[in-house]
Amino acid sequence: MKRLAILLSGRGSNFEAIARNISEGKLEAEIAVVVSNNPDAKGLETAAGLGLKTVCLPSKGVDTGVWAAGAVEALRPFEADLICLAGFMRRVGGPLLEAYAGRILNIHPSLLPSFPGLHVQQQALDYGVKYSGCTVHFVDAGLDTGAIVKQAAVEVKDSDDADTLAARILVEEHRIYSEAIALVLSGRFKIQGRRVVETQARTAGV
Ligand code: GAR
């Protein structure tokens, strides 16, 4: 069974969706550990409640590279095949990128390359786009720049504020993250330039 390490900073609803898809047999994987850089993250509490291994590595005031080196050490015993950033609100430092090259995924609540960074639903509203959505991508050294694995579009309504738009995008996040994880764990893809291309029709998974 392939092993996931989840990195989160807050609420953890994407983590919960992954855990639910695993427990319902829709995603073939196991969660080896949930790591948070925020001691107050609700997702950490949820993970412990589910009986999962948790690690808290506070990042406040810690240099990104130093934190990442500590995370590599903390993750080592869990032998993760794939790291899934699930609302992880910090840049991933060099040591993690090197140790898990091509094995880190992130979910981002916009249609990249539009609106990288933070407060992106508000950015989408302010720009006036008619569609936004979410993106699962490989993590590289840039800010939300890695190769795109899956995207889902969500229509922006005239009545939307950042919260209502975020809530509809989140529904799609919960769906496509597990789909992207299943694809990456299956190994049935190749990367051509920036394009992640499926190499065989998939018959299982979510
Ligand atoms: C999600 O919308 C996720 O896409 C976003 O934070 C939220 C976390 O929610 N991530 C980023 O903005 C990363 N730059 P969750 O903790 O309930 O999964």
Side-chain angles (χ1 to χ4, degrees), residues 9-29:
S9 301
R11 181 178 55 186
S13 74
N14 274 289
F15 147 63
E16 284 186 69
I18 293 165
R20 193 165 50 245
N21 281 327
I22 290 173
S23 72
E24 290 176 357
K26 294 176 182 166
L27 175 61
E28 208 176 305

Side-chain angles (χ1 to χ4, degrees), residues 46-85:
T46 309
L50 291 172
L52 295 169
K53 300 261 171 52
T54 61
V55 172
C56 182
L57 284 178
S59 66
K60 202 167 180 188
V62 182
D63 168 81
T64 301
V66 171
W67 191 88
V72 170
E73 286 311 309
L75 283 167
R76 202 182 303 282
F78 298 100
E79 300 183 327
D81 297 292
L82 186 67
I83 294 181
C84 300
L85 309 185

